[in-house]
Amino acid sequence: MYIWVGIDVDSQLSEIREKVHSAEEIIDFVHSNLTLPFHISLKISFFVPEEKVDAVMADILTIYKKTEPFSVEVRQIDWEETIVWISMKRNKQLDALHDVLNEMLLEKYSVPLHPYDIDYQFHTTLFMDDDREKNGKGYEMVKDIPLPDKLQANRFVIGISQSGSLGSFSIVQEVVK
C-alpha cells in the first residue's frame, strides 16, 4: 500500500484550483491532479506492506498531533519537465516535519529515504504528466495567476493508494489544528 502525507491548503487556494481545473479540461490531461485537495507535499509517497499500514498511519498521526500550526511562504509557479507546481519557501517547521517523518519511517518501518527526499522541494502540484508539451501548455495558462504570500499549515492529511499511481490516492486521515 502506498502512503502520502501533506498539508491541506485547498481552501486557501480555491481560486487557483478553479483555474487549474479549467486548464486541465482544455488541455485534456490523462490524469487529473485534482483528485486530492491542493496540498503541500511533505515527502514522496512511499510503499509499506499492508499489514503495517495502520501502525504507520498511527505514528504519522502522532507526529501531526504534536505539530503546532505554522505559516508557509509561497514562492512562485514553476515548471519542471513533468510537473507544474507552486513552490514553497523552506522554513524550520517544514524541514523539521519532513525530517521527523523520514526518520520515523526509516527507523521503525525500514522505509528507505527516496533520493528526492534528500533535498526536498516543498510544493503544491498543479499539473503532472509525462507529456512535456501538455505541462508547458498548463504552465502558460497558470503562470501569472496571483498567489497568496503565505499559507497556513493547520490541516495535516494522510492519503493511501493500492497502486501509488497519480489520481489513485484518497485521504483517509486528517488532523485539524
Side-chain angles (χ1 to χ4, degrees):
M1 181 87 59
Y2 289 85
I3 298 178
W4 154 87
V5 290
I7 301 168
D8 182 340
V9 292
D10 199 65
S11 64
Q12 299 172 69
L13 297 173
S14 58
E15 290 179 31
I16 295 166
R17 184 179 183 84
E18 289 174 24
K19 292 176 183 178
V20 167
H21 179 65
S22 295
E24 269 193 350
E25 288 182 337
I26 291 167
I27 298 168
D28 194 30
F29 280 95
V30 174
H31 298 287
S32 173
N33 192 58
L34 301 177
T35 56
L36 287 173
F38 274 169
H39 58 276
I40 300 169
S41 296
L42 292 171
K43 72 173 276 67
I44 278 286
S45 62
F46 54 93
F47 178 80
V48 293
E50 197 151 345
E51 65 273 7
K52 294 183 179 181
V53 168
D54 289 341
V56 170
M57 286 197 310
D59 284 337
I60 293 168
L61 286 171
T62 298
I63 290 168
Y64 282 171
K65 288 174 183 175
K66 292 177 181 177
T67 302
E68 292 297 322
F70 59 94
S71 294
V72 178
E73 288 185 59
V74 176
R75 289 187 60 232
Q76 62 198 26
I77 296 176
D78 292 318
W79 172 28
E80 308 253 340
E81 299 292 321
T82 61
I83 189 168
V84 176
W85 63 25
I86 301 171
S87 59
M88 306 297 163
K89 289 184 181 177
R90 297 182 83 96
N91 68 34
K92 290 179 185 177
Q93 294 95 336
L94 278 173
D95 284 339
L97 188 52
H98 174 77
D99 291 348
V100 74
L101 286 166
N102 281 320
E103 289 167 12
M104 177 273 295
L105 290 166
L106 180 61
E107 291 172 11
K108 288 186 80 173
Y109 301 101
S110 300
V111 173
L113 190 63
H114 188 281
Y116 186 75
D117 280 316
I118 294 168
D119 184 25
Y120 197 77
Q121 302 296 310
F122 297 101
H123 65 278
T124 297
T125 302
L126 302 179
F127 307 107
M128 181 183 266
D129 198 285
D130 289 334
D131 187 328
R132 188 183 192 307
E133 186 176 324
K134 284 184 178 181
N135 287 327
K137 287 179 183 176
Y139 174 73
E140 289 299 321
M141 293 179 78
V142 301
K143 69 179 183 180
D144 296 323
I145 294 174
L147 299 172
D149 293 331
K150 292 182 180 184
L151 297 170
Q152 295 305 307
N154 57 8
R155 297 180 72 88
F156 304 91
V157 290
I158 303 171
I160 60 169
S161 166
Q162 289 289 335
S163 68
S165 60
L166 185 64
S168 68
F169 284 86
S170 60
I171 291 179
V172 294
Q173 295 284 343
E174 101 178 301
V175 172
V176 179
K177 296 287 191 148

